Amino acid sequence: MIPVVRSLLETDLYKFSMWQALLHGHPGAHAEYEFLCRNSTVFPLAELADEVNAQLDHLCAMSFADDELDYLRSLRYMKADFVDFLAVFRFQRKFIRVEVKGDSLAITAAGPQVHVMGFEIFVLYIVNELYFRRFDQEAALAEGRERLIDKIASLKAFGLQPGLRHPFEFSDFGLRRRFSAAWHDEVVLRLAAEVPQYFKGSSNVYLAKRLGMVPIGTMAHEYMQSFQAFGVRLRDFQKAALEDWVQEYRGDLGVALTDVVGMDAFLDDFDLYFAKLFDGLRHDSGDPVLWGEKALAHYAALRIDANTKRLVFSDGLDLPTAFSLYRHFAGRIMTGFGIGTNLTNDVGLTPLNIVMKLVRCNGQSVAKLSDSPGKTMCKDETFLAYLRQVFHHPASSS
């Protein structure tokens, strides 16, 4: 077996930031996560079950190295007691199960949230790399390199155009759906070497440490969703989640995710207090231009200078889309772009559209009501109907 996971540090930064906040605020929470592939595959993912099990056995035997813990301690928002927890942390094999259901791969992680939430990113890139190992590696990498050359050329050409008030900056968000670890390394190294004026960091903490880059990330949907089960009134779960985040990070990691129950419902809760405390907002579903205009109108209504805030776009981006959004917004507000699959798995093969989402917490269903059709992942129709009713969210958007 060739291990896929190189280090427990090789996960997205927001896993660590959410992990710390939940360990401090809700250490007793119980959670369940489910894996789902949303698109068709060349061969059944069920064929990977034995290999995935072997990779998970390897993952559960790993621990953080001392230099990795020292690196985490060097990040000013990581607290000493959390890093001490990671020093003794091991993934527990009993909390994750791999099953075959027809041609599908069914992976479920269930247990104390602070022990199972970390599985997600590792499961996703394990499945991805095992899947793409079955294809012609030389042909894929040759195609990937040609496309990467074109991307770098487009960035350099973009730099020759007149600039706007705020600079163009993008980061690598491509860990979970990458073609392979080696290709991920190559892409990030090339971008850092050839277009450092635009390429500003990676969500991959392992690569950020290794290459001396800035690790990028704040929160994901699971953090906000968890508060649907933390005993607050459902209508108030977003405000409770944002308040806990503010108290945990005291000004660091200040980009809020907006689409757990839709942008409109988010802005209803994102009052002057939160708008001043958070540095900006992250887009992850729905029309990005409409979303950004709503954000700008909200800041204007609150009499906040939007030029002091940032909009981060991260929904299925490629560089042409990022350039277009930059031109639309960067004269009025700071922007940032997190590009994932199009950076790390653009090799001429159809990428897997796989996710591993929080579906239950403390024994009850949780969900997001995305601004894009098809992104809701919850089997409890009664809870979904109640959530839609509470937040006046149209059923057609799920």
Side-chain angles (χ1 to χ4, degrees), residues 44-305:
L45 292 186
E47 294 181 13
L48 298 175
D50 289 342
E51 293 174 82
V52 171
N53 271 313
Q55 294 289 343
L56 289 174
D57 289 342
H58 168 70
L59 173 68
C60 292
M62 299 178 73
S63 58
F64 286 94
D66 287 343
D67 67 305
E68 294 171 338
L69 295 169
D70 290 342
Y71 175 77
L72 291 172
R73 289 183 203 280
S74 75
L75 304 176
R76 71 181 187 183
Y77 44 81
M78 291 285 105
K79 298 179 181 176
D81 67 315
F82 174 60
V83 181
D84 291 341
F85 166 80
L86 295 179
V88 297
F89 175 80
R90 303 289 185 280
F91 281 110
Q92 301 299 307
R93 192 65 174 85
K94 63 185 177 183
F95 292 143
I96 190 162
R97 184 174 71 252
V98 180
E99 297 176 307
V100 170
K101 293 186 177 179
D103 288 341
S104 300
L105 194 60
I107 305 173
T108 303
Q113 189 167 23
V114 295
H115 282 275
V116 299
M117 63 183 295
F119 276 118
E120 176 198 358
I121 307 302
F122 296 108
V123 166
L124 294 177
Y125 74 78
I126 284 171
V127 172
N128 253 294
E129 185 149 347
L130 293 177
Y131 178 81
F132 285 106
R133 280 178 182 177
R134 297 192 175 196
F135 294 85
D136 185 331
Q137 301 293 294
E138 287 189 14
L141 290 174
E143 178 65 22
R145 288 179 182 123
E146 288 298 318
R147 295 186 183 197
L148 181 59
I149 289 170
D150 290 343
K151 289 183 178 76
I152 291 170
S154 74
L155 282 159
K156 291 179 177 178
F158 178 76
L160 298 176
Q161 300 175 18
L164 297 175
R165 177 167 182 170
H166 301 290
F168 177 80
E169 298 178 343
F170 77 102
S171 301
D172 154 46
F173 279 18
L175 173 56
R176 65 185 57 206
R177 296 181 185 139
R178 68 188 183 185
F179 176 75
S180 69
W183 178 237
H184 195 176
D185 291 357
E186 184 173 336
V187 169
V188 169
L189 280 166
R190 288 282 302 277
L191 292 171
E194 298 195 39
V195 284
Q197 67 273 41
Y198 307 121
F199 185 61
K200 296 302 179 181
S202 174
S203 67
N204 182 335
V205 184
Y206 171 80
L207 279 185
K209 173 184 179 295
R210 224 181 76 196
L211 303 178
M213 301 175 62
V214 177
I216 305 290
T218 55
M219 67 179 73
H221 299 95
E222 67 181 288
Y223 172 76
M224 302 283 281
Q225 285 175 248
S226 296
F227 281 78
Q228 296 170 4
F230 283 168
V232 299
R233 192 174 66 130
L234 186 60
R235 181 61 188 83
D236 296 329
F237 87 86
Q238 292 191 116
K239 289 181 282 190
L242 294 172
E243 180 63 30
D244 271 23
W245 194 267
V246 166
Q247 295 304 321
E248 180 70 28
Y249 289 109
R250 315 291 297 180
D252 275 317
L253 304 179
V255 175
L257 183 61
T258 66
D259 70 331
V260 177
V261 286
M263 181 61 161
D264 292 340
F266 176 84
L267 292 178
D268 285 343
D269 290 338
F270 197 67
D271 60 12
L272 182 62
Y273 170 75
F274 288 126
K276 283 189 172 183
L277 291 174
F278 279 87
D279 298 321
L281 305 172
R282 178 161 77 91
H283 171 267
D284 200 49
S285 66
D287 184 322
V289 173
L290 178 62
W291 173 89
E293 292 296 343
K294 286 181 177 181
L296 285 166
H298 190 68
Y299 283 129
L302 296 175
R303 299 183 183 179
I304 290 175
D305 180 1

Side-chain angles (χ1 to χ4, degrees), residues 38 259 284-285 315 368 370 372-377 397-398:
R38 291 170 168 159
D259 70 331
D284 200 49
S285 66
D315 182 27
K368 71 169 180 174
S370 171
S372 291
K375 282 195 170 185
T376 297
M377 188 172 170
S397 292
S398 63

Side-chain angles (χ1 to χ4, degrees), residues 352-366:
L352 296 178
N353 185 0
I354 55 176
V355 294
M356 190 167 181
K357 296 296 186 183
L358 177 68
V359 293
R360 273 173 288 279
C361 186
N362 288 342
Q364 73 176 63
S365 294
V366 298

